[in-house]
Amino acid sequence: MRTIEFEQVRRTVESLCIAACYELPDDVRTALEAAAAKESNPPAAKILAQLLDNARIAADERIPLCQDTGLTVVFVEQGAELVLPPPSQDGPATLHEAVNEGVQAGYENGFLRKSVVADPLHARTNTQTNAPAILHHIFVPGDKLRISVMAKGGGCENKSQFRMFRPTAEASDVADWIVEVVRSAGADACPPFVVGVGIGGNFESSCLLSKTALLRSLGEPHPDGFYAQMERELMARINALGIGPLGLGGDTTALGVQIETAPCHIASLPVAVNIECHSHRHKTAIL
Ligand code: SF4
């Protein structure tokens, strides 16, 4: 059995938080470049060029891509042949602690805005650490530890939606609703978007599917031809909405539509849409 110390997890999460907030992933930059090259609306093309400039300056000067450095969502895939050993005396005692301490260090040392309030409804006092993170942990075959960190902006998360369809709904009903969710997100969620869609599972897992869909590389279609076609059609319909970059019109409302699916109950058809803004920040490390 391989072992990895919690301290190594903590350090990795710290550096992933900083890298995610400073460096736009290559696939997002490539998608912005492609959109800028074919955008027919001159003001929209100019905004796309400015978004690319912003990404270049952030990476060069080691500053955040956006003032909202997000709620940190951490995905950990732990190989079944890998052991996270009992903690040393002073270090983090659990995976949760290691992740949260890594987030705290990343946001402090990277000069990233801390955006988490401890109580959601009445006190809403800032935790001053950007912790706790949202942690999703699963076991997979192998002996590696894969850690993905997403800095998820509040403005776009606020526009995400869930709906439980009747199982008799047609694919066109689902597609119409997805387009409507994007239309209602509008300029508030900082387009162009990456649209994560979760279809199937149940109430909570369809929302998680819509989030994990965002981790897939842009331009990589769903492996099932039916859903790959649905992604293409949704992308065309969403870009025909004319919302455009930052909501000022144009051909580029989405950079990608990514669907993930799962089996579901015979009586259910859960669908979730997770809206992601143009500042689509995520980084992965494999230990
Ligand atoms: S939605 Fe995205 S781009 Fe807009 S303010 Fe939030 S993080 Fe920044």
Side-chain angles (χ1 to χ4, degrees):
M1 285 285 211
R2 264 189 88 211
T3 60
I4 291 179
E5 303 283 338
F6 282 128
E7 178 55 23
Q8 195 179 346
V9 175
R10 188 198 68 73
R11 284 198 308 271
T12 302
V13 170
E14 175 184 355
S15 60
L16 288 174
C17 286
I18 295 171
C21 287
Y22 290 0
E23 301 160 15
L24 202 63
D26 288 344
D27 60 332
V28 184
R29 203 178 54 246
T30 302
L32 281 170
E33 286 167 353
K38 65 177 192 226
E39 175 61 62
S40 67
N41 179 314
K46 191 171 172 188
I47 291 167
L48 292 169
Q50 287 172 339
L51 294 178
L52 286 160
D53 273 352
N54 179 69
R56 182 183 47 74
I57 292 166
D60 287 352
E61 300 190 10
R62 311 302 292 161
I63 54 176
L65 285 148
C66 178
Q67 45 76 33
D68 179 358
T69 48
L71 176 62
T72 318
V73 186
V74 180
F75 300 87
V76 175
E77 293 180 13
Q78 180 178 348
E81 297 159 50
L82 174 77
V83 174
L84 299 171
S88 57
Q89 201 152 14
D90 300 325
T94 64
L95 180 62
H96 253 103
E97 271 186 36
V99 165
N100 283 332
E101 288 182 18
V103 168
Q104 178 167 356
Y107 277 68
E108 187 65 29
N109 298 330
F111 303 101
L112 308 175
R113 194 186 83 184
K114 291 127 184 169
S115 308
V116 175
V117 293
D119 175 90
L121 191 56
H122 67 104
R124 292 190 70 87
T125 307
N126 197 305
T127 63
Q128 302 296 343
T129 60
N130 220 57
I134 308 290
L135 173 62
H136 302 290
H137 174 218
I138 58 169
F139 284 99
V140 296
D143 65 354
K144 301 279 192 287
L145 193 70
R146 183 186 177 95
I147 304 175
S148 297
V149 166
M150 183 184 290
K152 189 68 171 69
C156 51
E157 190 77 352
N158 290 350
K159 298 295 180 177
S160 303
Q161 293 192 40
F162 168 83
R163 180 167 167 185
M164 190 66 81
F165 282 83
R166 291 185 175 164
T168 50
E170 303 282 347
S172 60
D173 300 327
V174 172
D176 289 350
W177 178 74
I178 293 167
V179 172
E180 197 46 45
V181 170
V182 176
R183 185 201 304 278
S184 70
D188 292 352
C190 300
F193 304 127
V194 180
V195 182
V197 180
I199 304 178
N202 67 356
F203 176 72
E204 76 273 14
S205 71
S206 66
C207 292
L208 181 54
L209 283 173
S210 72
K211 183 79 76 193
T212 54
L214 297 175
L215 289 175
R216 199 196 317 152
S217 282
L218 284 175
E220 185 186 314
H222 193 286
D224 180 317
F226 175 86
Y227 292 107
Q229 176 69 14
M230 193 170 176
E231 288 173 340
R232 282 192 294 276
E233 289 173 5
L234 282 167
M235 181 82 168
R237 288 182 63 186
I238 288 167
N239 281 331
L241 290 172
I243 297 169
L246 303 188
L248 297 173
D251 311 320
T252 316
T253 298
L255 299 173
V257 177
Q258 325 224 117
I259 297 173
E260 290 292 326
T261 61
C264 65
H265 193 284
I266 50 171
S268 304
L269 177 48
V271 183
V273 176
N274 197 186
I275 302 283
E276 172 70 310
C277 61
H278 63 78
S279 201
H280 180 30
R281 296 154 295 177
H282 61 94
K283 288 284 177 220
T284 295
I286 299 173
L287 304 179

